[in-house]
Amino acid sequence: MLFKTSTCILLASLALFTYTSPADAHSWADCIDWVFNDPDKQGWGKDDGKCLGYARRYPLGQEFGSLDDANPGRHYQQDGDDAPPCSDGKHGKDVGSDETRADPPEKAYGGKYGAMTVTSVNDTLCIRWPAKNHAEDNEKNSLKVLINFANKEGRDPKTQAEVTETFLVDMPYKNCDKGKVPDRRPCGGCFKVPPRGPGIYLLQWRWMLNKGEWYTSCADIKIEES
Ligand SMILES: *[C@@H]1O[C@H](CO)[C@@H](O)[C@H](O)[C@H]1NC(C)=O
């Protein structure tokens, strides 16, 4: 009887798994300042480097790529053009975590959260994200991550249009390590920190999966005098 019950549960979970994956999994920025152990051997796995800076209120100590199952989840799908640029934990087609700007911004970092990214102009920042099944051969090679980087300090813009105006660079979404589990392949890309005065600036990671289907993560970047 016990055996039968567990078999039933197993079959039910298998059915659910088949039903919800792989197309249903969505990504987020897992690390904002990824540093390679060996700059000549760029990789995104746990043995290839470490994370020095995170998105807002990013919970530490979680298994890589697991935060879509967290409650609240880390992936935020914007709901139309008027959607908040950064998840507020209330709005969204997929409601995400609270990634609104803290006051002061430092309050969203440290303790149970990851550290804020500290960098300077012309430094290289490397960002990491989990593939969430979308780096396989049957996915478009044109999938991109866009980086928007505020021009000035201060509160977040209210609209995505304002954030989009600060577009800095895009990077191929499918730049991922090889791996057996398509959901958990680590991916990433690097860019140069743009010219800004010392201060704390909004960085938005933004990924379009299908036309008009956008996911975002938000982080504060502290730029120091170089
Ligand atoms: C950054 O790099 C540009 C171009 O290489 C250079 O003109 C500029 O002076 C650099 N800025 C800083 C703060 O290092």
Side-chain angles (χ1 to χ4, degrees), residues 141-176:
N141 288 328
S142 58
L143 287 180
K144 287 205 169 30
V145 161
L146 275 54
I147 300 299
N148 297 314
F149 204 113
N151 295 318
K152 49 183 199 303
E153 289 193 86
R155 63 160 189 81
D156 287 354
K158 285 213 171 57
T159 65
Q160 181 58 48
E162 283 174 83
V163 176
T164 299
E165 275 174 26
T166 63
F167 170 74
L168 178 69
V169 68
D170 60 35
M171 37 185 69
Y173 181 81
K174 289 171 68 174
N175 185 39
C176 307

Side-chain angles (χ1 to χ4, degrees), residues 207-218:
W207 170 51
M208 191 176 83
L209 177 53
N210 296 300
K211 197 163 170 24
E213 183 186 346
W214 291 98
Y215 298 85
T216 80
S217 292
C218 288

Side-chain angles (χ1 to χ4, degrees), residues 20-193:
T20 55
S21 70
D24 243 355
H26 305 132
S27 193
W28 61 91
D30 146 87
C31 176
I32 303 297
D33 188 7
W34 179 255
V35 180
F36 302 112
N37 291 336
D38 177 357
D40 294 329
K41 189 183 150 286
Q42 301 200 346
W44 306 99
K46 63 174 166 25
D47 299 328
D48 300 314
K50 57 180 182 294
C51 187
L52 298 186
Y54 293 82
R56 290 170 175 164
R57 299 181 193 84
Y58 201 85
L60 289 176
Q62 308 291 319
E63 197 181 324
F64 175 75
S66 68
L67 289 175
D68 44 357
D69 293 328
N71 188 16
R74 206 52 212 193
H75 63 280
Y76 161 52
Q77 186 188 344
Q78 293 179 299
D79 190 3
D81 294 340
D82 298 330
C86 300
S87 172
D88 60 4
K90 298 182 197 112
H91 297 92
K93 279 196 173 134
D94 289 343
V95 177
S97 304
D98 180 9
E99 296 183 46
T100 55
R101 185 178 191 268
D103 183 20
E106 285 87 348
K107 270 193 175 167
Y109 303 89
K112 63 181 174 175
Y113 303 132
M116 191 192 289
T117 299
V118 180
T119 185
S120 50
V121 173
N122 289 347
D123 268 5
T124 298
L125 274 187
C126 299
I127 299 198
R128 183 170 91 141
W129 57 87
K132 293 287 125 195
N133 302 314
H134 296 291
E136 303 312 293
D137 289 343
N138 61 352
E139 294 277 349
K140 296 187 288 281
N141 288 328
S142 58
L143 287 180
K144 287 205 169 30
V145 161
L146 275 54
I147 300 299
N148 297 314
F149 204 113
N151 295 318
K152 49 183 199 303
E153 289 193 86
R155 63 160 189 81
D156 287 354
K158 285 213 171 57
T159 65
Q160 181 58 48
E162 283 174 83
V163 176
T164 299
E165 275 174 26
T166 63
F167 170 74
L168 178 69
V169 68
D170 60 35
M171 37 185 69
Y173 181 81
K174 289 171 68 174
N175 185 39
C176 307
D177 288 355
K178 305 238 175 307
K180 289 200 188 73
V181 185
D183 182 60
R184 296 290 168 98
R185 290 173 61 188
C187 319
C190 302
F191 66 93
K192 195 161 102 167
V193 176

